[in-house]
Amino acid sequence: MSSTKSTTQTPDRRAWLREHSELGVGALLLVIGVLVLTDALTMDVDIAQRGPVGPTTVPIAVGIGLLVVAVLLAFDVLRGGRGEAEGGEDIDLSEPSDWRTVLLLAGVFLANAVLIGPLGFPISGALLFWGSAYALGSRRVDRDPLIAAVLSVVTYFVFNNLLGVPLPGGPLMGVL
Amino acid sequence: MDSLNSLLDGFGTALTPINLLWAAIGVLLGTAIGVLPGIGPAMAVALLLPVTYGLEPTGAFIMFAGIYYGAMFGGSTTSILLNTPGESAAVVAAIEGNPMAKAGRGAQALAAAAGGHFAGGMIGTILLVVLAPTVAELAVDIGAPDYFAIMVLAFIAVTSVLGSSRIRGLASLLIGLTLGLVGLDQMTGQQRLTFGSLQLADGIDVVIVAVGLFAIGEALWVAAHLRRSSGDAIPVGRPWLARSDVKRTWKPWLRGPVIGFPFGAIPAGGAEIPTFLSYVTEKRLSKHQDEFGKGAIEGVAGPESAASASAAGTLVSMLTLGLPTTAVAAVMLAAFQQYGIQPGPLLFEREPDLVWGLIASLFVGMVLLLALNLPLAPLWAKLLRIPRPYLYAGILFFAAVGAYAVGGEAIDLVILLIIGLIGFGMRRYGLPVLPAVIGVILGPAAEQQLRRALQISDGSAAGLVNTPFSVTVYAVIVVLLAWPWLKKLIVRSRPAA
């Protein structure tokens, strides 16, 4: 950000926004609150009403709660309150978030959701494992696909044939 | 006497060869998954849930009990050998256990932990046998207003006892309650938050929420901050205790449950507080105070026993009231609902075979745990060296299997990912995950009880507080809510007095 020295306003605001990015959580809660309230208030309940408390009472309470918490959270953030990022054994918080990895993983996961139908679990699952390992930094092209394939096929047989939890076999299992 | 007979029947169920096999598989799987770094008991149980889908309920829960205890023991192994606890309850085990391992006494630390789990689990489960039927009997008479009060208590306790920020706990709870609203209203069939989607009309399955928040959320969060150089696990031999060690550990083993069990039964965050209290107690009572912080065996034995007993305490409120007090119990409750079984006071009447089989298998599971895990400890320690990309890729892989197995719908995988991203954001901004899970699970039940109570009282709010029980519970809630101010008052008045 050193190149933007001439326009001091923008980096300042950017730094402020970065510092207060938690306001986004408040905004999100606000949006969800409005969504819940709209859904509850537009509900057609005349026929469905049974007893003094209808199907809209709790959603309205939850919606109002969301709005209140959103505002309180925003106040807390502006007063300097911060949610503490969660630590853990494999987590290094000193580095900034690695968004590339997260997006890659989300993409791989979505691809699995799309492919599980047409390709079947053994193939889509193997792609999911290999893709995730690749996104996380594993580059063993000789070993990774093999592990992924074995894991996926073994899991398929254990769940589908041994445990009685059906998974889609896809064309591959049709051939075998 | 009655419960003793039922327990014997339960052993009849638990000791059939096939159920013994499920228990053994559960213990082994639970330990293996629990040992893996980054996987706490709640995630282990959520990930292993689909393994039990194809079984009949009794076998499934017997396996589940094994998974639970195995995952807890596995977690303390990670703490001791890697000094990086995966969940709050195992933090204390790392304080003394890791210095012991560094000093070459890892085998003794593991043995003290295993002994603690065995003693705590045994005593805790005996207390469960004695107390649960009584609690269930008392609870049979309680009505809708009482249930609603208990659930409100759970909501308040989980948001204000845990974590550092109440407002963030509350935000998490409300997210959970919102997710719980999605689907058809139980009493009128009205669609809520479905946006016309047939898919959402069935509601969002609790298992998908749990796996999304615990497994996907955690994996993505770790991926964003993956430590490039992970710590080295200390190699360890077969655990054993010398006579001098046993002399120092048997009392902490027996003291742990006294602290752990009651804390497990109330909604106060499970094993976190009792393990810490047990640690402080052992430190005060020990003859080797100078060793604390450098590897005192009492500091492993006591807290581990307390943690294990608190797990048994958790089961009391889970089985008799349907009230989950920890993340693991919340996932277990989801598993019960999967089979269409509603834990609560009537569970002991309606499903005696299942409940007593489950309780008996807790005893069986603990014996298996001790018999299998002590010899296998060196092998478990090897699991700590698994390359991190494989570990987290594996978590995503099995999370996908689990979510797909719920209904066989690819759209569930998309919902799972969205909930996982919510879980990621919650970890980033310090919103605790547990209130959200409790909100999803208890929210719909609480709403039903509320509406039932108000239906009986014809809409008068007095119908919510017309029993001594509910009034007492609300009094406890007020104290909980006012606690920060009360604490200030007490602190302020003390120097004056």
Side-chain angles (χ1 to χ4, degrees):
Chain A
M1 231 173 274
S2 54
S3 60
T4 49
K5 240 178 195 166
S6 53
T7 52
T8 45
Q9 198 64 33
T10 334
D12 267 4
R13 184 176 294 169
R14 227 186 244 177
W16 189 90
L17 276 180
R18 178 163 299 192
E19 188 75 359
H20 294 79
S21 63
E22 201 177 344
L23 287 175
V25 179
L28 200 65
L29 291 173
L30 203 70
V31 171
I32 301 175
V34 170
L35 202 67
V36 173
L37 279 178
T38 335
D39 184 75
L41 294 174
T42 55
M43 218 179 273
D44 185 21
V45 285
D46 295 340
I47 21 155
Q49 183 88 4
R50 229 179 65 197
V53 185
T56 59
T57 316
V58 171
I60 290 175
V62 170
I64 293 174
L66 281 164
L67 298 186
V68 171
V69 166
V71 172
L72 288 177
L73 185 69
F75 271 119
D76 185 65
V77 173
L78 290 174
R79 277 198 331 222
R82 287 290 174 276
E84 217 176 296
E86 197 183 88
E89 40 204 73
D90 285 333
I91 291 171
D92 182 4
L93 286 174
S94 58
E95 302 267 331
S97 292
D98 179 358
W99 289 107
R100 212 182 131 256
T101 308
V102 176
L103 286 177
L104 262 175
L105 285 178
V108 169
F109 202 85
L110 264 186
N112 173 54
V114 174
L115 295 176
I116 193 166
L119 293 186
F121 178 80
I123 297 178
S124 77
L127 289 176
L128 170 65
F129 184 86
W130 186 18
S132 306
Y134 184 88
L136 287 159
S138 181
R139 290 291 182 275
R140 295 286 300 270
V141 200
D142 52 334
R143 198 172 65 177
D144 294 354
L146 200 68
I147 294 178
V150 170
L151 178 73
S152 198
V153 171
V154 168
T155 306
Y156 173 79
F157 275 113
V158 168
F159 275 85
N160 200 55
N161 300 13
L162 284 181
L163 292 168
V165 181
L167 292 171
L172 184 69
M173 291 303 133
V175 171
L176 288 183
Chain B
M1 219 50 237
D2 213 22
S3 53
L4 198 64
N5 279 332
S6 316
L7 181 64
L8 286 177
D9 287 343
F11 271 110
T13 312
L15 289 176
T16 57
I18 185 76
N19 284 339
L20 261 179
L21 179 73
W22 293 133
I25 294 176
V27 166
L28 285 176
L29 268 180
T31 316
I33 304 292
V35 164
L36 292 173
I39 302 186
M43 204 215 280
V45 174
L47 280 177
L48 288 172
L49 205 52
V51 177
T52 63
Y53 280 176
L55 307 180
E56 39 86 41
T58 310
F61 282 101
I62 284 174
M63 188 159 164
F64 223 75
I67 291 173
Y68 187 12
Y69 278 111
M72 287 200 26
F73 175 77
S76 47
T77 307
T78 322
S79 289
I80 291 168
L81 298 180
L82 210 57
N83 193 27
T84 43
E87 36 106 38
S88 45
V91 170
V92 175
I95 303 178
E96 298 302 328
N98 190 250
M100 281 184 73
K102 277 188 183 143
R105 281 168 50 78
Q108 283 80 359
L110 284 183
H117 274 287
F118 183 75
M122 278 292 174
I123 296 170
T125 311
I126 290 170
L127 289 172
L128 168 71
V129 171
V130 176
L131 285 178
T134 320
V135 176
E137 227 160 81
L138 290 175
V140 165
D141 295 330
I142 73 176
D146 308 304
Y147 273 116
F148 181 66
I150 295 177
M151 288 169 186
V152 173
L153 173 65
F155 291 150
I156 300 296
V158 85
T159 49
S160 59
V161 177
L162 296 173
S164 47
S165 163
R166 284 181 167 199
I167 195 77
R168 288 172 180 82
L170 206 56
S172 168
L173 175 69
L174 285 166
I175 292 173
L177 289 175
T178 307
L179 288 174
L181 283 176
V182 176
L184 296 182
D185 171 37
Q186 289 176 12
M187 294 182 110
T188 62
Q190 185 81 41
Q191 297 209 5
R192 296 196 298 196
L193 292 173
T194 59
F195 310 106
S197 150
L198 216 63
Q199 216 36 259
L200 288 176
D202 287 339
I204 302 175
D205 198 283
V206 180
V207 174
I208 293 181
V209 178
V211 172
L213 288 178
F214 287 123
I216 304 279
E218 179 77 15
L220 292 178
W221 174 237
V222 173
H225 292 276
L226 191 59
R227 202 185 288 281
R228 291 303 161 190
S229 56
S230 36
D232 279 333
I234 301 162
V236 71
R238 196 187 157 141
W240 58 282
L241 287 173
R243 184 172 292 182
S244 61
D245 294 321
V246 177
K247 234 181 217 168
R248 287 177 61 180
T249 49
W250 72 271
K251 277 188 204 154
W253 281 343
L254 294 183
R255 275 194 292 259
V258 180
I259 301 169
F261 187 81
F263 270 95
I266 56 169
E272 191 173 341
I273 298 169
T275 46
F276 185 72
L277 280 181
S278 163
Y279 179 73
V280 175
T281 310
E282 293 313 327
K283 191 173 172 181
R284 198 164 292 162
L285 292 174
S286 171
K287 284 181 201 144
H288 306 266
Q289 288 203 0
D290 50 311
E291 279 183 32
F292 270 80
K294 292 171 220 147
I297 198 164
E298 295 94 332
V300 177
E304 288 303 293
S305 170
S308 192
S310 92
T314 300
L315 287 178
V316 175
S317 36
M318 215 274 287
L319 292 175
T320 60
L321 298 173
L323 184 73
T325 56
T326 63
V328 181
V331 180
M332 277 186 103
L333 192 65
F336 272 102
Q337 289 173 349
Q338 202 73 31
Y339 285 103
I341 299 167
Q342 186 58 49
L346 293 176
L347 185 68
F348 282 79
E349 279 174 33
R350 282 189 195 149
E351 308 270 355
D353 291 348
L354 177 94
V355 180
W356 289 106
L358 172 68
I359 293 175
S361 72
L362 292 175
F363 288 106
V364 176
M366 267 168 305
V367 174
L368 286 174
L369 195 65
L370 207 60
L372 292 174
N373 278 349
L374 287 183
L376 286 175
L379 181 74
W380 298 138
K382 283 209 181 85
L383 279 178
L384 292 173
R385 294 206 206 121
I386 182 172
R388 295 307 183 263
Y390 293 161
L391 173 61
Y392 291 101
I395 291 175
L396 291 172
F397 176 88
F398 283 107
V401 174
Y404 191 85
V406 169
E409 307 265 9
I411 187 78
D412 281 346
L413 293 173
V414 180
I415 298 175
L416 178 73
L417 179 65
I418 294 171
I419 293 172
L421 288 170
I422 296 176
F424 172 82
M426 290 173 76
R427 284 175 172 79
R428 165 68 182 82
Y429 289 108
L431 303 187
V433 175
L434 182 58
V437 176
I438 298 275
V440 178
I441 291 177
L442 285 188
E447 181 184 8
Q448 216 178 353
Q449 300 293 357
L450 170 74
R451 285 161 78 174
R452 226 176 254 164
L454 288 178
Q455 223 162 5
I456 296 165
S457 75
D458 213 14
S460 156
L464 295 178
V465 287
N466 60 4
T467 63
F469 184 88
S470 57
V471 173
T472 318
V473 174
Y474 284 116
V476 173
I477 293 173
V478 170
V479 172
L480 265 180
L481 283 176
W483 181 244
W485 291 284
L486 285 177
K487 206 162 72 179
K488 256 184 222 161
L489 276 179
I490 295 167
V491 173
R492 215 176 284 162
S493 65
R494 215 172 257 165

